[in-house]
Amino acid sequence: DSGVTQTPKHLITATGQRVTLRCSPRSGDLSVYWYQQSLDQGLQFLIQYYNGEERAKGNILERFSAQQFPDLHSELNLSSLELGDSALYFCASSVDSGGRANYGYTFGSGTRLTVV
Amino acid sequence: AQTVTQSQPEMSVQEAETVTLSCTYDTSESDYYLFWYKQPPSRQMILVIRQEAYKQQNATENRFSVNFQKAAKSFSLKISDSQLGDAAMYFCAYGHYPGDKIIFGKGTRLHILP
């Protein structure tokens, strides 16, 4: 167990629908990152939140949105789903130690989204 | 913009042999961090090794070591005494300051031949 919890693990939904993916970061981590991994592809950065505020945005579609709540858990909302949105969605968290080092991320186990 | 390139989509190595996975990156920054992540069939992303750019000494973690060439912007991963459990997708990744987003390469799929 990495300490980063993602739910659900699997999700099957129809085109046009809306889904919410949930992530609880590792205890003490303030930053949450969302990535999309399509079949046999690398990880595409979607968005980052730090202590409740959006910090960085990647190639995130307008149909997608996210937020981080006061308890630091985060949700990624995907709407008007298309077949091409089928992918593995990862959440990761990191220790932001105040500027001394970058220790990389701790990843959750991902949510496998299948749009049919 | 920073980029990470892994030129080997797939590689194979005999069990117990040594294999090197290549990675190049592009950045205008002088201080940054490089990572290798492993993604086995379970799909979990696992940090294998990290390198701080200001350190000239190559990082080592048990059977995993890197060859960091800062001037050439090259960061290869060497796996010694390959084991069946090393079979996975390996991603090279770049991060700048602490808390910065990490940029991943497209990955190299490593097969271990018994």
Side-chain angles (χ1 to χ4, degrees):
Chain A
D1 181 10
S2 68
V4 178
T5 304
Q6 285 190 252
T7 56
K9 292 194 182 306
H10 302 277
L11 199 49
I12 301 175
T13 189
T15 54
Q17 295 298 304
R18 171 190 168 95
V19 297
T20 297
L21 313 184
R22 183 187 168 100
C23 170
S24 293
R26 195 178 56 167
S27 178
D29 288 356
L30 299 179
S31 274
V32 169
Y33 310 79
W34 287 97
Y35 282 80
Q36 178 193 58
Q37 184 181 27
S38 300
L39 188 63
D40 288 334
Q41 293 295 308
L43 281 77
Q44 298 296 315
F45 171 70
L46 295 178
I47 198 163
Q48 176 197 0
Y49 278 82
Y50 175 79
N51 203 20
E53 299 288 328
E54 182 185 303
R55 174 175 272 189
K57 214 170 200 178
N59 297 322
I60 186 167
L61 299 172
E62 285 191 12
R63 301 183 285 108
F64 296 1
S65 65
Q67 54 185 328
Q68 187 179 27
F69 295 87
D71 67 352
L72 300 179
H73 92 270
S74 178
E75 294 181 355
L76 179 67
N77 301 296
L78 314 176
S79 61
S80 303
L81 284 167
E82 302 175 358
L83 295 178
D85 297 328
S86 296
L88 189 57
Y89 290 85
F90 280 109
C91 167
S93 69
S94 71
V95 173
D96 286 336
S97 54
R100 293 308 302 272
N102 188 333
Y103 293 101
Y105 297 160
T106 300
F107 278 85
S109 57
T111 293
R112 166 76 65 190
L113 173 66
T114 303
V115 182
V116 298
Chain B
Q2 295 88 359
T3 58
V4 178
T5 302
Q6 294 178 251
S7 59
Q8 305 150 314
E10 285 195 68
M11 294 189 71
S12 296
V13 64
Q14 210 74 35
E15 193 176 4
E17 296 295 309
T18 295
V19 64
T20 298
L21 309 184
S22 301
C23 172
T24 59
Y25 59 94
D26 189 25
T27 182
S28 58
E29 306 293 343
S30 60
D31 195 15
Y32 48 87
Y33 301 82
L34 297 165
F35 310 89
W36 279 97
Y37 279 86
K38 170 185 178 181
Q39 187 179 42
S42 68
R43 291 294 195 172
Q44 179 71 50
M45 293 289 291
I46 302 165
L47 178 62
V48 175
I49 200 166
R50 68 185 273 273
Q51 174 79 41
E52 297 166 340
Y54 67 88
K55 288 187 176 179
Q56 293 189 344
Q57 185 174 7
N58 290 322
T60 299
E61 289 287 343
N62 301 313
R63 297 182 295 107
F64 298 86
S65 62
V66 298
N67 183 4
F68 173 50
Q69 301 290 328
K70 191 173 185 178
K73 296 181 181 175
S74 170
F75 183 60
S76 61
L77 175 70
K78 185 172 83 171
I79 306 174
S80 304
D81 185 25
S82 297
Q83 301 175 359
L84 295 178
D86 295 333
M89 185 75 100
Y90 287 83
F91 292 98
C92 179
Y94 166 99
H96 181 28
Y97 51 84
D100 186 25
K101 64 181 183 296
I102 291 179
I103 299 166
F104 289 83
K106 290 192 180 300
T108 296
R109 184 173 300 282
L110 179 64
H111 303 277
I112 310 296
L113 307 174

